[in-house]
Amino acid sequence: MTKSMMIVGVGGQGSLLASRLVGAVLGECGYEVKLSEVHGMSQRGGSVVTYVKYGDEVHSPLVDFGEADYIISFELLEAARYLPYLKPGGKIVTSTQVIYPMPVITGAMDYPQELVNKLQARADVTAVDALALAEQAGSPKAANVVLMGVLSAATDISEEVWQKALEKTVPPKFLALNKTAFALGRAAGKG
Amino acid sequence: MNKLMLGNQAVARGLYEAGCRFVSSYPGTPSTEITEEAAKYPEIYAEWAPNEKVAMESALGASIAGARSFCGIKHVGLNVAADPLYTASYTGVNGGMVIGVADDPGMHSSQNEQDSRHHAIASKVPMLEPSDSEECKEFTKLAFALSEEYDTPVILRTCTRVAHSQSAVELLDREEPALKPYEKNPQKYSMAPANAIKRHVVVEDRMAKLAAAAETSPLNRVEMGKTAIGFITSGTCYQYVRELFPKASVLKLGLVNPLPRQLFFDFREKVEKLWVIEEMDPIIETHVRALGIQVDGGKAQTGLLGELSQTRLAKAMGVTLPASKSLDEALPVRPPVLCPGCPHRGLFYTLKKLNLTVMGDIGCYTLGGMAPLGAMDTTICMGASIGALHGFTKMRPESNSKCVAVIGDSTFMHSGLTGIANIVYNKSFSTVLILDNSITGMTGHQQNPTTGLTLQEEETYPIKMEDVCRALGVPRVRIADPAKLDELEAAIKEELAAEEPSVIIVRRPCALLKYVKHKPPYHVDTDKCRSCRACMKIGCPAIRFEGGRASIDDTLCVGCGLCQQLCHFDAIQE
């Protein structure tokens, strides 16, 4: 049985570290893992997505409409954008952070209102202020690891595996900070 | 030992294990990480060349010297290197030579969607196509073996989803093939007509032998399963076919040029219906149909545009799609933008303000064409801004004072020099702006000949573009700082008015470079803000309007101060 995750956000938010962490966790669990990232132009503030596939045997590295078991979003509008990729019964973990895209900045469109409510009306959604929790842990840059903490509470993978993966993927200098960020996220996820 | 690796990282591992000694490349998404990763192996000499043509010629030189060599580029880079490729096909190799080319179906980060297989066919060079990271590594090694066995360069073709996907790779030891002896052999390496005529015979003979070998090569694999539908496919498309039809019969091609013949006939006989699944152009399908083999599905269903996926394949084949939900409203798109603090922003604001016609080029600054900056008229290929400006102003001399070219530092060294020579030689009064942000930006910060550092960040001779332009005979060369809007505008106006060729080097390092110190975020004094939206004209992702007043997102602002220069009411403060 192959399972799928998508890690989505805005280019520059640190989704590549998150995907490395998830890859290490799933590898530790003994799954075959495929991750697919997009580099280049979209990393400059565009909508970015990392696909994660895992199971006994994985073929396509891509996740498409109606296939994702989990969507982890670093930004609210991006959670809404990728909702069609969620499998019925799938789960969304999203930060409530709002980053205006250029059509909103130029006034061509409005940023959609009430996104958390709209998402919750359609799916199982855990929305947390990951930025505030990251700042509480010591740096807004750790918002990605906060969200990994939230995700960890939604999966049946043991906390020990996540901790081990953190130690493997985060530079020692930032490990303590990221462990705090992870713990805050995990607590928020258990809510 | 198994390791999760990016396809590009796995190609680099293949280079290591194959005993490759020499890598020369030019960065281009999605190929860049091959060379960055190869540079981490001390056994491999790796470098960024100024462009793909030089890179491939250097790799050929290293091969002639007897070393296993590699050149890693993107699909459009292969056009630049097409000249050496087509004749390297004639000279063949000494040490094995592999050319890694990464296609970008769907154009995630490219200006066109070309299919590199055409180049393999036209240059008569074998091409291998891996479908995951393990194959990236193994096919790289096989490509070297094939190169030496058949005395030919070999192309290893990937696409975005193979290059930038991670999957498990088995790590093996490095072979250490000795440098092959170099023997002078102008009949083989000096392609004057008398020699080339004889080498062309060798090329045709080699391709015929390779086509025969394709019938039984382990690179091409038949996986028999259910026989209702059989698929012929290769590369990432193999993964989509397998995802959707785990039990179907599949002929998976690893050698995509030359293609086999009998293998197709044999496979066709074993299955009831035959589908050919490939991204971009119908190369395999056309070949199969030309053999007179009945094809029941292919490009007519999957189309010529963009990437495939298991879902696009399902749609093409009429398979039921999984259910999914969406919001009942149009969501604003999120295109890429110039970063907060990007030195290009001030320049494009000024070009728009002056209402100039702007011939653009390839790099981060292509984003200067997006709203609200919207200051770019053309984007063609590396270096095209200068040639396009020359042609445009020759036909519309009155536009000399209203038209500029913009080209980045790395792009200038790649393909800009000859354009400048043309402007000087053929006397156009063009104004060229070189946007020098001291790095190759879009592909993720690679050094280039102007930065004074090598791929390994060792110090080297920095090439000064102002000296180059002067040496090329440009009479007017000056430097301007895009962070100082008034000075920049005055400089552009002066050069546009001058009836001579001129170059302005618009110099300020990329805001993402580690040595660029960011200042504390600016903020808006809402009592002073008059909602004039002047600060919104620069399209900075850190500035938004809230409650009718401007506000600055302090998590995004890097304190570049550009917006402060635009505020008429002193509302934006440090």
Side-chain angles (χ1 to χ4, degrees):
Chain A
M1 179 71 185
T2 309
K3 287 201 160 198
S4 306
M5 285 185 192
M6 289 171 73
I7 301 171
V8 304
V10 178
Q13 277 191 303
S15 64
L16 289 184
L17 172 78
S19 69
R20 274 212 304 278
L21 182 64
V22 168
V25 165
L26 297 170
E28 190 66 39
C29 295
Y31 293 117
E32 180 179 349
V33 182
K34 282 189 181 174
L35 297 167
S36 189
E37 305 156 354
V38 169
H39 298 225
M41 193 174 251
S42 49
Q43 282 180 300
R44 302 277 170 264
S47 172
V48 290
V49 51
T50 300
Y51 305 103
V52 184
K53 300 279 283 272
Y54 59 105
D56 299 332
E57 194 180 17
V58 181
H59 297 294
S60 169
L62 298 183
V63 182
D64 219 320
F65 296 119
E67 292 182 346
D69 294 278
Y70 299 94
I71 292 177
I72 301 98
S73 180
F74 288 44
E75 201 271 351
L76 214 43
L77 172 60
E78 296 311 308
R81 189 184 315 285
Y82 289 101
L83 174 66
Y85 288 76
L86 194 71
K87 186 184 274 183
K91 170 144 186 104
I92 295 179
V93 167
T94 183
S95 169
T96 54
Q97 188 179 355
V98 166
I99 299 177
Y100 282 5
M102 206 39 71
V104 175
I105 289 176
T106 60
M109 280 184 93
D110 290 325
Y111 194 93
Q113 298 298 304
E114 301 287 323
L115 276 179
V116 174
N117 291 341
K118 287 176 189 169
L119 286 168
Q120 278 171 342
R122 291 166 175 82
D124 174 5
V125 179
T126 304
V128 296
D129 189 345
L131 205 56
L133 292 175
E135 275 165 3
Q136 194 184 325
S139 165
K141 286 188 178 154
N144 52 2
V145 176
V146 170
L147 284 172
M148 293 295 104
V150 183
L151 171 68
S152 78
T155 63
D156 48 13
I157 298 166
S158 82
E159 191 182 351
E160 198 191 332
V161 173
W162 286 91
Q163 294 288 354
K164 216 167 147 183
L166 264 178
E167 284 156 24
K168 259 172 55 180
T169 43
V170 176
K173 201 170 135 191
F174 302 111
L175 187 59
L177 166 85
N178 280 294
K179 284 205 160 189
T180 312
F182 182 85
L184 288 170
R186 192 169 166 87
K190 287 190 167 163
Chain B
M1 186 186 144
N2 278 350
K3 198 179 167 198
L4 205 57
M5 278 187 164
L6 212 56
N8 282 342
Q9 221 179 342
V11 172
R13 181 71 196 184
L15 296 175
Y16 167 79
E17 290 182 9
C20 175
R21 292 166 187 255
F22 182 93
V23 173
S24 186
S25 305
Y26 185 80
T29 312
S31 72
T32 311
E33 298 82 5
I34 301 174
T35 301
E36 290 180 323
E37 293 294 327
K40 293 177 184 169
Y41 295 104
E43 295 87 346
I44 301 175
Y45 169 82
E47 64 178 24
W48 292 127
N51 70 24
E52 294 86 353
K53 179 178 184 296
V54 176
M56 194 179 292
E57 290 156 352
S58 303
L60 181 60
S63 158
I64 293 170
R68 285 193 162 184
S69 72
F70 178 82
C71 167
I73 55 186
K74 69 182 292 181
H75 59 304
V76 285
L78 191 57
N79 303 339
V80 179
D83 209 358
L85 172 68
Y86 283 59
T87 303
S89 169
Y90 278 37
T91 64
V93 302
N94 185 18
M97 175 175 168
V98 176
I99 298 148
V101 59
D103 285 5
D104 190 16
M107 292 177 278
H108 297 278
S109 205
S110 302
Q111 69 269 34
N112 75 27
E113 202 169 19
Q114 72 185 48
D115 188 329
S116 293
R117 294 177 296 175
H118 292 293
H119 269 309
I121 295 166
S123 66
K124 304 178 192 247
V125 165
M127 177 181 261
L128 272 50
E129 187 175 25
S131 70
D132 63 12
S133 295
E134 175 63 25
E135 284 189 354
C136 278
K137 194 202 74 167
E138 277 310 302
F139 283 20
T140 301
K141 294 163 75 176
L142 289 167
F144 277 110
L146 214 58
S147 170
E148 288 174 0
E149 185 182 347
Y150 289 90
D151 188 10
T152 174
V154 174
I155 302 175
L156 181 83
R157 179 208 190 210
T158 63
C159 65
T160 301
R161 299 306 181 181
V162 170
H164 284 163
S165 288
Q166 299 185 40
S167 59
V169 174
E170 189 187 1
L171 305 187
L172 301 173
D173 292 336
R174 177 175 164 95
E175 295 171 52
E176 287 285 2
L179 213 57
K180 291 196 168 181
Y182 169 68
E183 283 157 23
K184 203 179 184 76
N185 188 355
Q187 289 76 25
K188 176 161 156 47
Y189 296 122
S190 184
M191 287 302 95
N195 292 336
I197 287 166
K198 290 177 192 141
R199 288 300 299 177
H200 189 187
V201 179
V202 176
V203 169
E204 299 302 339
D205 180 51
R206 172 184 82 210
M207 289 312 278
K209 282 183 180 146
L210 274 158
E215 305 290 355
T216 53
S217 166
L219 284 161
N220 299 332
R221 179 172 84 212
V222 176
E223 298 171 358
M224 283 313 294
K226 291 185 181 172
T227 54
I229 312 178
F231 294 91
I232 300 175
T233 186
S234 71
T236 191
C237 293
Y238 165 77
Q239 306 291 355
Y240 307 145
V241 168
R242 269 283 164 253
E243 177 100 5
L244 206 56
F245 299 97
K247 293 183 177 146
S249 294
V250 176
L251 167 49
K252 178 188 178 297
L253 296 168
L255 182 63
V256 292
N257 187 54
L259 290 169
R261 209 184 128 81
Q262 192 57 43
L263 196 57
F264 290 141
F265 283 110
D266 294 347
F267 185 69
R268 184 67 189 88
E269 269 185 19
K270 291 179 195 155
V271 296
E272 288 162 45
K273 284 199 170 4
L274 179 70
W275 279 65
V276 181
I277 306 300
E278 55 196 319
E279 278 175 332
M280 303 206 278
D281 296 337
I283 306 261
I284 303 170
E285 185 179 336
T286 304
H287 177 90
V288 173
R289 286 185 188 276
L291 292 172
I293 293 173
Q294 193 196 323
V295 176
D296 301 289
K299 279 291 148 190
Q301 290 77 24
T302 58
L304 296 166
L305 310 178
E307 293 187 291
L308 286 180
S309 69
Q310 59 272 20
T311 304
R312 283 194 61 184
L313 184 56
K315 249 186 223 167
M317 302 192 67
V319 177
T320 317
L321 298 173
S324 75
K325 289 181 180 169
S326 59
L327 260 56
D328 321 311
E329 60 190 293
L331 300 175
V333 294
R334 191 185 300 273
V337 289
L338 295 173
C339 304
C342 176
H344 301 321
R345 182 169 281 110
L347 173 72
F348 284 101
Y349 166 77
T350 307
L351 297 179
K352 172 142 191 213
K353 184 180 167 193
L354 297 175
N355 196 24
L356 301 181
T357 299
V358 180
M359 302 305 181
D361 224 299
I362 307 290
C364 284
Y365 49 92
T366 310
L367 297 171
M370 309 283 282
L373 294 165
M376 195 168 286
D377 290 68
T378 67
T379 305
I380 319 289
C381 67
M382 295 286 281
S385 59
I386 303 176
L389 174 69
H390 176 76
F392 192 91
T393 54
K394 276 285 180 191
M395 288 300 100
R396 292 183 174 272
E398 74 284 1
S399 66
N400 269 325
S401 58
K402 295 177 208 134
C403 191
V404 296
V406 294
I407 182 166
D409 49 343
S410 190
T411 312
F412 177 73
M413 291 310 298
H414 179 287
S415 291
L417 301 166
T418 43
I420 295 284
N422 189 44
I423 278 175
V424 173
Y425 173 51
N426 288 311
K427 298 185 284 185
S428 62
F429 301 150
S430 299
T431 301
V432 175
L433 310 182
I434 302 177
L435 315 192
D436 178 11
N437 64 349
S438 308
I439 201 75
T440 314
M442 181 58 86
T443 44
H445 283 187
Q446 289 74 32
Q447 303 298 339
N448 68 55
T450 71
T451 64
L453 295 171
T454 67
L455 198 177
Q456 291 80 2
E457 311 222 329
E458 286 162 13
E459 282 190 24
T460 181
Y461 312 103
I463 295 177
K464 288 204 170 107
M465 290 181 286
E466 50 271 43
D467 293 351
V468 171
C469 291
R470 286 190 191 106
L472 281 167
V474 179
R476 301 176 65 95
V477 178
R478 64 196 286 176
I479 318 278
D481 182 351
K484 294 173 182 156
L485 290 177
D486 293 343
E487 286 173 31
L488 177 70
E489 184 177 330
I492 293 171
K493 281 180 173 166
E494 256 179 61
E495 297 313 321
L496 283 169
E499 295 198 336
E500 281 185 301
S502 49
V503 168
I504 308 175
I505 298 176
V506 184
R507 179 169 288 156
R508 179 160 279 266
C510 171
L512 301 182
L513 282 166
K514 282 201 181 115
Y515 65 80
V516 173
K517 293 280 170 271
H518 293 167
K519 288 204 246 160
Y522 280 63
H523 66 273
V524 177
D525 183 339
T526 43
D527 293 337
K528 288 187 177 172
C529 175
R530 307 274 184 88
S531 311
C532 72
R533 300 184 83 95
C535 56
M536 303 301 286
K537 289 183 185 164
I538 52 173
C540 177
I543 310 176
R544 58 164 87 167
F545 251 61
E546 271 179 341
R549 296 278 187 274
S551 87
I552 294 174
D553 184 334
D554 61 9
T555 63
L556 296 175
C557 177
V558 297
C560 75
L562 194 66
C563 54
Q564 192 186 34
Q565 295 179 54
L566 300 176
C567 183
H568 308 299
F569 306 104
D570 201 25
I572 297 178
Q573 293 161 0
E574 284 183 45

